[in-house]
Amino acid sequence: FTTFFKKNLQVMRGVTLALAVLLVFASLVHESDGDCYMHNPRGSNNRLNERSANRDNANRMFDSQNNNRGGYNAGDQTDEAFSDENGIYYMKYFQSASVGRSFLTTEWTNQHGCGGDDANDPHKLNCNIVIQYTCQEEPESINADIASGDANTLDVLRDGENRGTQNHNAPNNLEEDENQYDSRRTGSVSTDRGLHETFSYYDDCYVRERNTGLFLADQLLNRGQVGALGYFGARFTRQNPNANRRGYECPEERDYYPYWHPTPWRDVAVLVDNVTRCDFYTEQSFNVQPRYLCREKFSGSNTYKPISRWNNETGCNENGGKFDLQRYN
């Protein structure tokens, strides 16, 4: 079967962590628009600070596949519209004391039904809902952190202050050196635009060969979009045959769960139509099941680069790479 997912998230900030919550919707039978809207924590639906009912940029950070209306703006700290990240009001959630459990109520609307009991009352539309999050340490001042000049600050999780989509300067070949890679990265990432996944994560998706075992149905992948590398990467899926880009989201990871490659997303819960699949999702979650990736060195260097063409051990080893086991950090 194929799966089709939706993201609908907005950055939250607490005392020490920056969090983003991922809500995904899966249709197990055919491609469909899930139309999922997060309410708590607030989901942006790709909005930022619009003064209109419609969002300006449906491709700002992720592929929500939702209508242009819906979603929540990033809040202002005062009665003045924010001009940078430090002026954004971030929702805060307080945990219990050192003893006791904390609960975060999660609310969403999925516009389309999820069918019935698949085992005894099969429907044409079945769905799973997967809730995930990603996090990083909270910088004291996100603007000061980005302005420090350290290239690592380009990866700071942020809502941004500009409604544009991050850029991606694609590689022309697989033999670039470290300086050439760094130049592409720093020339692509804008510190005033929102960011969930990093440039390196999408760049690896761009370079990595697609999983050729995936069902394409009647979809023809657009060879005109393969670029200088000359092959179909993980940007191409049944749901994304033209390799359209939304932020730095990897289309193959977005469209299939559980994914077979390391990702920055960690599972919270999987809500299923068919409980017989619970063991499968529990066992295959990246929370507990490590994933492999191919590690190759930059041309003329002993430094490992964050991208590789090879998605399998044979291809990796035959081309001088190291097929390495990765656990969620």
PDB file of all heavy atoms in Angstrom, residues 200-233:
ATOM      1  N   SER A 200      21.018  20.475   5.426  1.00  0.00           N
ATOM      2  CA  SER A 200      21.731  19.213   5.212  1.00  0.00           C
ATOM      3  C   SER A 200      20.772  18.041   5.095  1.00  0.00           C
ATOM      4  O   SER A 200      21.011  17.108   4.310  1.00  0.00           O
ATOM      5  CB  SER A 200      22.721  18.967   6.351  1.00  0.00           C
ATOM      6  OG  SER A 200      23.699  19.979   6.400  1.00  0.00           O
ATOM      7  N   TYR A 201      19.682  18.074   5.861  1.00  0.00           N
ATOM      8  CA  TYR A 201      18.703  16.987   5.804  1.00  0.00           C
ATOM      9  C   TYR A 201      18.047  16.941   4.427  1.00  0.00           C
ATOM     10  O   TYR A 201      17.919  15.870   3.821  1.00  0.00           O
ATOM     11  CB  TYR A 201      17.648  17.185   6.888  1.00  0.00           C
ATOM     12  CG  TYR A 201      16.619  16.085   6.939  1.00  0.00           C
ATOM     13  CD1 TYR A 201      16.957  14.812   7.403  1.00  0.00           C
ATOM     14  CD2 TYR A 201      15.313  16.306   6.514  1.00  0.00           C
ATOM     15  CE1 TYR A 201      16.012  13.794   7.446  1.00  0.00           C
ATOM     16  CE2 TYR A 201      14.371  15.296   6.552  1.00  0.00           C
ATOM     17  CZ  TYR A 201      14.730  14.040   7.026  1.00  0.00           C
ATOM     18  OH  TYR A 201      13.791  13.037   7.055  1.00  0.00           O
ATOM     19  N   TYR A 202      17.644  18.098   3.908  1.00  0.00           N
ATOM     20  CA  TYR A 202      17.023  18.100   2.581  1.00  0.00           C
ATOM     21  C   TYR A 202      18.047  17.809   1.493  1.00  0.00           C
ATOM     22  O   TYR A 202      17.755  17.116   0.514  1.00  0.00           O
ATOM     23  CB  TYR A 202      16.350  19.447   2.290  1.00  0.00           C
ATOM     24  CG  TYR A 202      15.726  19.454   0.917  1.00  0.00           C
ATOM     25  CD1 TYR A 202      14.510  18.824   0.687  1.00  0.00           C
ATOM     26  CD2 TYR A 202      16.381  20.048  -0.168  1.00  0.00           C
ATOM     27  CE1 TYR A 202      13.940  18.799  -0.581  1.00  0.00           C
ATOM     28  CE2 TYR A 202      15.823  20.023  -1.444  1.00  0.00           C
ATOM     29  CZ  TYR A 202      14.606  19.392  -1.636  1.00  0.00           C
ATOM     30  OH  TYR A 202      14.055  19.340  -2.897  1.00  0.00           O
ATOM     31  N   ASP A 203      19.255  18.322   1.644  1.00  0.00           N
ATOM     32  CA  ASP A 203      20.289  18.097   0.637  1.00  0.00           C
ATOM     33  C   ASP A 203      20.585  16.604   0.512  1.00  0.00           C
ATOM     34  O   ASP A 203      20.791  16.092  -0.596  1.00  0.00           O
ATOM     35  CB  ASP A 203      21.555  18.867   1.023  1.00  0.00           C
ATOM     36  CG  ASP A 203      22.445  19.179  -0.158  1.00  0.00           C
ATOM     37  OD1 ASP A 203      21.920  19.625  -1.199  1.00  0.00           O
ATOM     38  OD2 ASP A 203      23.662  18.976  -0.052  1.00  0.00           O
ATOM     39  N   ASP A 204      20.601  15.898   1.627  1.00  0.00           N
ATOM     40  CA  ASP A 204      20.797  14.451   1.601  1.00  0.00           C
ATOM     41  C   ASP A 204      19.622  13.777   0.897  1.00  0.00           C
ATOM     42  O   ASP A 204      19.805  12.823   0.137  1.00  0.00           O
ATOM     43  CB  ASP A 204      20.939  13.919   3.028  1.00  0.00           C
ATOM     44  CG  ASP A 204      21.259  12.443   3.072  1.00  0.00           C
ATOM     45  OD1 ASP A 204      22.124  11.987   2.297  1.00  0.00           O
ATOM     46  OD2 ASP A 204      20.635  11.718   3.878  1.00  0.00           O
ATOM     47  N   CYS A 205      18.414  14.265   1.141  1.00  0.00           N
ATOM     48  CA  CYS A 205      17.227  13.747   0.467  1.00  0.00           C
ATOM     49  C   CYS A 205      17.321  13.970  -1.039  1.00  0.00           C
ATOM     50  O   CYS A 205      16.950  13.112  -1.840  1.00  0.00           O
ATOM     51  CB  CYS A 205      15.979  14.427   1.051  1.00  0.00           C
ATOM     52  SG  CYS A 205      14.419  13.964   0.288  1.00  0.00           S
ATOM     53  N   TYR A 206      17.815  15.135  -1.427  1.00  0.00           N
ATOM     54  CA  TYR A 206      17.981  15.481  -2.843  1.00  0.00           C
ATOM     55  C   TYR A 206      18.964  14.533  -3.532  1.00  0.00           C
ATOM     56  O   TYR A 206      18.735  14.074  -4.651  1.00  0.00           O
ATOM     57  CB  TYR A 206      18.477  16.920  -2.946  1.00  0.00           C
ATOM     58  CG  TYR A 206      18.570  17.470  -4.356  1.00  0.00           C
ATOM     59  CD1 TYR A 206      17.569  18.279  -4.861  1.00  0.00           C
ATOM     60  CD2 TYR A 206      19.681  17.195  -5.160  1.00  0.00           C
ATOM     61  CE1 TYR A 206      17.644  18.796  -6.154  1.00  0.00           C
ATOM     62  CE2 TYR A 206      19.760  17.693  -6.448  1.00  0.00           C
ATOM     63  CZ  TYR A 206      18.740  18.492  -6.943  1.00  0.00           C
ATOM     64  OH  TYR A 206      18.833  18.989  -8.227  1.00  0.00           O
ATOM     65  N   VAL A 207      20.046  14.220  -2.831  1.00  0.00           N
ATOM     66  CA  VAL A 207      21.127  13.420  -3.410  1.00  0.00           C
ATOM     67  C   VAL A 207      20.834  11.922  -3.339  1.00  0.00           C
ATOM     68  O   VAL A 207      21.203  11.160  -4.242  1.00  0.00           O
ATOM     69  CB  VAL A 207      22.457  13.743  -2.688  1.00  0.00           C
ATOM     70  CG1 VAL A 207      23.534  12.731  -3.035  1.00  0.00           C
ATOM     71  CG2 VAL A 207      22.905  15.157  -3.027  1.00  0.00           C
ATOM     72  N   ARG A 208      20.168  11.481  -2.268  1.00  0.00           N
ATOM     73  CA  ARG A 208      19.953  10.047  -2.047  1.00  0.00           C
ATOM     74  C   ARG A 208      18.982   9.466  -3.074  1.00  0.00           C
ATOM     75  O   ARG A 208      17.931  10.042  -3.364  1.00  0.00           O
ATOM     76  CB  ARG A 208      19.409   9.820  -0.635  1.00  0.00           C
ATOM     77  CG  ARG A 208      19.352   8.363  -0.213  1.00  0.00           C
ATOM     78  CD  ARG A 208      18.997   8.244   1.254  1.00  0.00           C
ATOM     79  NE  ARG A 208      17.679   8.747   1.591  1.00  0.00           N
ATOM     80  CZ  ARG A 208      17.451   9.886   2.245  1.00  0.00           C
ATOM     81  NH1 ARG A 208      18.462  10.648   2.638  1.00  0.00           N
ATOM     82  NH2 ARG A 208      16.210  10.283   2.506  1.00  0.00           N
ATOM     83  N   GLU A 209      19.302   8.317  -3.638  1.00  0.00           N
ATOM     84  CA  GLU A 209      18.417   7.654  -4.591  1.00  0.00           C
ATOM     85  C   GLU A 209      17.086   7.314  -3.940  1.00  0.00           C
ATOM     86  O   GLU A 209      17.027   6.944  -2.767  1.00  0.00           O
ATOM     87  CB  GLU A 209      19.069   6.372  -5.122  1.00  0.00           C
ATOM     88  CG  GLU A 209      20.247   6.613  -6.042  1.00  0.00           C
ATOM     89  CD  GLU A 209      20.800   5.317  -6.626  1.00  0.00           C
ATOM     90  OE1 GLU A 209      20.386   4.231  -6.158  1.00  0.00           O
ATOM     91  OE2 GLU A 209      21.637   5.389  -7.542  1.00  0.00           O
ATOM     92  N   ARG A 210      16.017   7.443  -4.703  1.00  0.00           N
ATOM     93  CA  ARG A 210      14.701   7.082  -4.204  1.00  0.00           C
ATOM     94  C   ARG A 210      14.609   5.575  -3.989  1.00  0.00           C
ATOM     95  O   ARG A 210      15.365   4.798  -4.578  1.00  0.00           O
ATOM     96  CB  ARG A 210      13.594   7.541  -5.155  1.00  0.00           C
ATOM     97  CG  ARG A 210      13.605   6.838  -6.518  1.00  0.00           C
ATOM     98  CD  ARG A 210      12.399   7.258  -7.374  1.00  0.00           C
ATOM     99  NE  ARG A 210      11.153   6.821  -6.764  1.00  0.00           N
ATOM    100  CZ  ARG A 210      10.576   5.644  -7.025  1.00  0.00           C
ATOM    101  NH1 ARG A 210      11.148   4.780  -7.855  1.00  0.00           N
ATOM    102  NH2 ARG A 210       9.441   5.320  -6.453  1.00  0.00           N
ATOM    103  N   ASN A 211      13.700   5.165  -3.134  1.00  0.00           N
ATOM    104  CA  ASN A 211      13.424   3.753  -2.922  1.00  0.00           C
ATOM    105  C   ASN A 211      12.623   3.249  -4.120  1.00  0.00           C
ATOM    106  O   ASN A 211      11.442   3.562  -4.282  1.00  0.00           O
ATOM    107  CB  ASN A 211      12.618   3.578  -1.631  1.00  0.00           C
ATOM    108  CG  ASN A 211      12.359   2.122  -1.297  1.00  0.00           C
ATOM    109  OD1 ASN A 211      12.414   1.248  -2.155  1.00  0.00           O
ATOM    110  ND2 ASN A 211      12.064   1.851  -0.032  1.00  0.00           N
ATOM    111  N   THR A 212      13.254   2.459  -4.985  1.00  0.00           N
ATOM    112  CA  THR A 212      12.618   2.028  -6.234  1.00  0.00           C
ATOM    113  C   THR A 212      11.593   0.923  -6.017  1.00  0.00           C
ATOM    114  O   THR A 212      10.921   0.522  -6.963  1.00  0.00           O
ATOM    115  CB  THR A 212      13.678   1.540  -7.239  1.00  0.00           C
ATOM    116  OG1 THR A 212      14.461   0.495  -6.641  1.00  0.00           O
ATOM    117  CG2 THR A 212      14.596   2.696  -7.642  1.00  0.00           C
ATOM    118  N   GLY A 213      11.448   0.448  -4.788  1.00  0.00           N
ATOM    119  CA  GLY A 213      10.442  -0.562  -4.503  1.00  0.00           C
ATOM    120  C   GLY A 213       9.080   0.019  -4.182  1.00  0.00           C
ATOM    121  O   GLY A 213       8.117  -0.725  -3.972  1.00  0.00           O
ATOM    122  N   LEU A 214       8.973   1.349  -4.150  1.00  0.00           N
ATOM    123  CA  LEU A 214       7.707   1.993  -3.799  1.00  0.00           C
ATOM    124  C   LEU A 214       6.732   1.955  -4.969  1.00  0.00           C
ATOM    125  O   LEU A 214       7.111   2.110  -6.128  1.00  0.00           O
ATOM    126  CB  LEU A 214       7.948   3.431  -3.368  1.00  0.00           C
ATOM    127  CG  LEU A 214       8.813   3.633  -2.132  1.00  0.00           C
ATOM    128  CD1 LEU A 214       9.049   5.118  -1.887  1.00  0.00           C
ATOM    129  CD2 LEU A 214       8.164   2.996  -0.912  1.00  0.00           C
ATOM    130  N   PHE A 215       5.458   1.770  -4.653  1.00  0.00           N
ATOM    131  CA  PHE A 215       4.393   1.691  -5.642  1.00  0.00           C
ATOM    132  C   PHE A 215       4.127   3.074  -6.234  1.00  0.00           C
ATOM    133  O   PHE A 215       3.925   4.042  -5.511  1.00  0.00           O
ATOM    134  CB  PHE A 215       3.136   1.152  -4.957  1.00  0.00           C
ATOM    135  CG  PHE A 215       1.933   1.046  -5.843  1.00  0.00           C
ATOM    136  CD1 PHE A 215       1.955   0.270  -6.994  1.00  0.00           C
ATOM    137  CD2 PHE A 215       0.762   1.715  -5.525  1.00  0.00           C
ATOM    138  CE1 PHE A 215       0.847   0.161  -7.806  1.00  0.00           C
ATOM    139  CE2 PHE A 215      -0.366   1.615  -6.327  1.00  0.00           C
ATOM    140  CZ  PHE A 215      -0.322   0.835  -7.468  1.00  0.00           C
ATOM    141  N   LEU A 216       4.137   3.170  -7.562  1.00  0.00           N
ATOM    142  CA  LEU A 216       3.915   4.445  -8.237  1.00  0.00           C
ATOM    143  C   LEU A 216       2.545   4.542  -8.899  1.00  0.00           C
ATOM    144  O   LEU A 216       2.160   5.630  -9.337  1.00  0.00           O
ATOM    145  CB  LEU A 216       4.992   4.677  -9.302  1.00  0.00           C
ATOM    146  CG  LEU A 216       6.413   4.953  -8.804  1.00  0.00           C
ATOM    147  CD1 LEU A 216       7.359   5.094  -9.987  1.00  0.00           C
ATOM    148  CD2 LEU A 216       6.444   6.202  -7.949  1.00  0.00           C
ATOM    149  N   ALA A 217       1.813   3.423  -8.997  1.00  0.00           N
ATOM    150  CA  ALA A 217       0.515   3.397  -9.689  1.00  0.00           C
ATOM    151  C   ALA A 217       0.716   3.948 -11.102  1.00  0.00           C
ATOM    152  O   ALA A 217       1.619   3.530 -11.818  1.00  0.00           O
ATOM    153  CB  ALA A 217      -0.537   4.155  -8.906  1.00  0.00           C
ATOM    154  N   ASP A 218      -0.113   4.915 -11.500  1.00  0.00           N
ATOM    155  CA  ASP A 218      -0.028   5.457 -12.860  1.00  0.00           C
ATOM    156  C   ASP A 218       0.770   6.752 -12.920  1.00  0.00           C
ATOM    157  O   ASP A 218       0.776   7.443 -13.931  1.00  0.00           O
ATOM    158  CB  ASP A 218      -1.427   5.698 -13.422  1.00  0.00           C
ATOM    159  CG  ASP A 218      -2.240   6.661 -12.562  1.00  0.00           C
ATOM    160  OD1 ASP A 218      -1.769   7.010 -11.458  1.00  0.00           O
ATOM    161  OD2 ASP A 218      -3.338   7.045 -12.988  1.00  0.00           O
ATOM    162  N   GLN A 219       1.491   7.074 -11.828  1.00  0.00           N
ATOM    163  CA  GLN A 219       2.258   8.316 -11.796  1.00  0.00           C
ATOM    164  C   GLN A 219       3.590   8.165 -12.535  1.00  0.00           C
ATOM    165  O   GLN A 219       4.308   7.185 -12.340  1.00  0.00           O
ATOM    166  CB  GLN A 219       2.530   8.740 -10.354  1.00  0.00           C
ATOM    167  CG  GLN A 219       1.282   9.116  -9.578  1.00  0.00           C
ATOM    168  CD  GLN A 219       0.619  10.352 -10.156  1.00  0.00           C
ATOM    169  OE1 GLN A 219       1.271  11.365 -10.421  1.00  0.00           O
ATOM    170  NE2 GLN A 219      -0.690  10.274 -10.356  1.00  0.00           N
ATOM    171  N   LEU A 220       3.898   9.112 -13.385  1.00  0.00           N
ATOM    172  CA  LEU A 220       5.168   9.141 -14.101  1.00  0.00           C
ATOM    173  C   LEU A 220       6.057  10.203 -13.466  1.00  0.00           C
ATOM    174  O   LEU A 220       5.690  11.384 -13.409  1.00  0.00           O
ATOM    175  CB  LEU A 220       4.945   9.450 -15.585  1.00  0.00           C
ATOM    176  CG  LEU A 220       4.099   8.446 -16.366  1.00  0.00           C
ATOM    177  CD1 LEU A 220       3.909   8.923 -17.810  1.00  0.00           C
ATOM    178  CD2 LEU A 220       4.750   7.067 -16.346  1.00  0.00           C
ATOM    179  N   LEU A 221       7.216   9.769 -12.971  1.00  0.00           N
ATOM    180  CA  LEU A 221       8.141  10.720 -12.371  1.00  0.00           C
ATOM    181  C   LEU A 221       8.695  11.642 -13.450  1.00  0.00           C
ATOM    182  O   LEU A 221       9.017  11.211 -14.558  1.00  0.00           O
ATOM    183  CB  LEU A 221       9.268   9.983 -11.656  1.00  0.00           C
ATOM    184  CG  LEU A 221       8.836   8.962 -10.591  1.00  0.00           C
ATOM    185  CD1 LEU A 221      10.061   8.359  -9.915  1.00  0.00           C
ATOM    186  CD2 LEU A 221       7.914   9.600  -9.563  1.00  0.00           C
ATOM    187  N   ASN A 222       8.819  12.909 -13.117  1.00  0.00           N
ATOM    188  CA  ASN A 222       9.219  13.930 -14.073  1.00  0.00           C
ATOM    189  C   ASN A 222      10.737  13.955 -14.230  1.00  0.00           C
ATOM    190  O   ASN A 222      11.445  14.546 -13.423  1.00  0.00           O
ATOM    191  CB  ASN A 222       8.704  15.296 -13.612  1.00  0.00           C
ATOM    192  CG  ASN A 222       8.916  16.374 -14.652  1.00  0.00           C
ATOM    193  OD1 ASN A 222       9.649  16.193 -15.624  1.00  0.00           O
ATOM    194  ND2 ASN A 222       8.271  17.509 -14.451  1.00  0.00           N
ATOM    195  N   ARG A 223      11.229  13.319 -15.287  1.00  0.00           N
ATOM    196  CA  ARG A 223      12.677  13.260 -15.494  1.00  0.00           C
ATOM    197  C   ARG A 223      13.268  14.634 -15.742  1.00  0.00           C
ATOM    198  O   ARG A 223      14.459  14.863 -15.492  1.00  0.00           O
ATOM    199  CB  ARG A 223      13.009  12.307 -16.654  1.00  0.00           C
ATOM    200  CG  ARG A 223      14.500  12.161 -16.930  1.00  0.00           C
ATOM    201  CD  ARG A 223      14.813  10.932 -17.749  1.00  0.00           C
ATOM    202  NE  ARG A 223      14.630   9.707 -16.993  1.00  0.00           N
ATOM    203  CZ  ARG A 223      15.518   9.217 -16.132  1.00  0.00           C
ATOM    204  NH1 ARG A 223      16.646   9.875 -15.885  1.00  0.00           N
ATOM    205  NH2 ARG A 223      15.278   8.090 -15.511  1.00  0.00           N
ATOM    206  N   GLY A 224      12.469  15.550 -16.173  1.00  0.00           N
ATOM    207  CA  GLY A 224      12.969  16.897 -16.408  1.00  0.00           C
ATOM    208  C   GLY A 224      13.386  17.617 -15.142  1.00  0.00           C
ATOM    209  O   GLY A 224      14.025  18.668 -15.204  1.00  0.00           O
ATOM    210  N   GLN A 225      13.050  17.042 -13.964  1.00  0.00           N
ATOM    211  CA  GLN A 225      13.384  17.671 -12.690  1.00  0.00           C
ATOM    212  C   GLN A 225      14.533  16.974 -11.952  1.00  0.00           C
ATOM    213  O   GLN A 225      14.814  17.316 -10.804  1.00  0.00           O
ATOM    214  CB  GLN A 225      12.144  17.685 -11.779  1.00  0.00           C
ATOM    215  CG  GLN A 225      11.000  18.523 -12.308  1.00  0.00           C
ATOM    216  CD  GLN A 225      11.366  19.985 -12.425  1.00  0.00           C
ATOM    217  OE1 GLN A 225      12.047  20.547 -11.572  1.00  0.00           O
ATOM    218  NE2 GLN A 225      10.925  20.619 -13.508  1.00  0.00           N
ATOM    219  N   VAL A 226      15.205  16.016 -12.586  1.00  0.00           N
ATOM    220  CA  VAL A 226      16.257  15.280 -11.872  1.00  0.00           C
ATOM    221  C   VAL A 226      17.496  16.135 -11.631  1.00  0.00           C
ATOM    222  O   VAL A 226      18.288  15.860 -10.731  1.00  0.00           O
ATOM    223  CB  VAL A 226      16.650  13.980 -12.612  1.00  0.00           C
ATOM    224  CG1 VAL A 226      15.485  13.036 -12.691  1.00  0.00           C
ATOM    225  CG2 VAL A 226      17.203  14.280 -13.998  1.00  0.00           C
ATOM    226  N   GLY A 227      17.693  17.174 -12.449  1.00  0.00           N
ATOM    227  CA  GLY A 227      18.839  18.049 -12.248  1.00  0.00           C
ATOM    228  C   GLY A 227      20.124  17.462 -12.806  1.00  0.00           C
ATOM    229  O   GLY A 227      20.127  16.466 -13.534  1.00  0.00           O
ATOM    230  N   ALA A 228      21.236  18.062 -12.397  1.00  0.00           N
ATOM    231  CA  ALA A 228      22.537  17.690 -12.950  1.00  0.00           C
ATOM    232  C   ALA A 228      22.970  16.289 -12.550  1.00  0.00           C
ATOM    233  O   ALA A 228      23.818  15.689 -13.213  1.00  0.00           O
ATOM    234  CB  ALA A 228      23.595  18.711 -12.511  1.00  0.00           C
ATOM    235  N   LEU A 229      22.413  15.748 -11.464  1.00  0.00           N
ATOM    236  CA  LEU A 229      22.849  14.428 -10.999  1.00  0.00           C
ATOM    237  C   LEU A 229      22.369  13.309 -11.910  1.00  0.00           C
ATOM    238  O   LEU A 229      22.964  12.234 -11.948  1.00  0.00           O
ATOM    239  CB  LEU A 229      22.362  14.198  -9.561  1.00  0.00           C
ATOM    240  CG  LEU A 229      22.853  15.215  -8.532  1.00  0.00           C
ATOM    241  CD1 LEU A 229      22.378  14.840  -7.134  1.00  0.00           C
ATOM    242  CD2 LEU A 229      24.374  15.333  -8.559  1.00  0.00           C
ATOM    243  N   GLY A 230      21.247  13.488 -12.596  1.00  0.00           N
ATOM    244  CA  GLY A 230      20.832  12.552 -13.625  1.00  0.00           C
ATOM    245  C   GLY A 230      20.082  11.326 -13.159  1.00  0.00           C
ATOM    246  O   GLY A 230      19.922  10.377 -13.940  1.00  0.00           O
ATOM    247  N   TYR A 231      19.600  11.289 -11.906  1.00  0.00           N
ATOM    248  CA  TYR A 231      18.827  10.145 -11.429  1.00  0.00           C
ATOM    249  C   TYR A 231      17.736  10.647 -10.484  1.00  0.00           C
ATOM    250  O   TYR A 231      17.766  11.788 -10.022  1.00  0.00           O
ATOM    251  CB  TYR A 231      19.732   9.124 -10.728  1.00  0.00           C
ATOM    252  CG  TYR A 231      20.507   9.672  -9.548  1.00  0.00           C
ATOM    253  CD1 TYR A 231      19.960   9.715  -8.268  1.00  0.00           C
ATOM    254  CD2 TYR A 231      21.802  10.164  -9.718  1.00  0.00           C
ATOM    255  CE1 TYR A 231      20.663  10.236  -7.192  1.00  0.00           C
ATOM    256  CE2 TYR A 231      22.517  10.686  -8.650  1.00  0.00           C
ATOM    257  CZ  TYR A 231      21.946  10.720  -7.392  1.00  0.00           C
ATOM    258  OH  TYR A 231      22.639  11.240  -6.331  1.00  0.00           O
ATOM    259  N   PHE A 232      16.784   9.778 -10.198  1.00  0.00           N
ATOM    260  CA  PHE A 232      15.670  10.148  -9.335  1.00  0.00           C
ATOM    261  C   PHE A 232      16.074  10.011  -7.869  1.00  0.00           C
ATOM    262  O   PHE A 232      16.416   8.925  -7.405  1.00  0.00           O
ATOM    263  CB  PHE A 232      14.449   9.272  -9.609  1.00  0.00           C
ATOM    264  CG  PHE A 232      13.810   9.516 -10.951  1.00  0.00           C
ATOM    265  CD1 PHE A 232      13.827   8.534 -11.931  1.00  0.00           C
ATOM    266  CD2 PHE A 232      13.213  10.730 -11.229  1.00  0.00           C
ATOM    267  CE1 PHE A 232      13.244   8.751 -13.164  1.00  0.00           C
ATOM    268  CE2 PHE A 232      12.615  10.967 -12.469  1.00  0.00           C
ATOM    269  CZ  PHE A 232      12.630   9.972 -13.441  1.00  0.00           C
ATOM    270  N   GLY A 233      16.021  11.109  -7.147  1.00  0.00           N
ATOM    271  CA  GLY A 233      16.330  11.088  -5.725  1.00  0.00           C
ATOM    272  C   GLY A 233      15.078  10.897  -4.891  1.00  0.00           C
ATOM    273  O   GLY A 233      13.968  10.703  -5.401  1.00  0.00           O
TER     274      GLY A 233
END
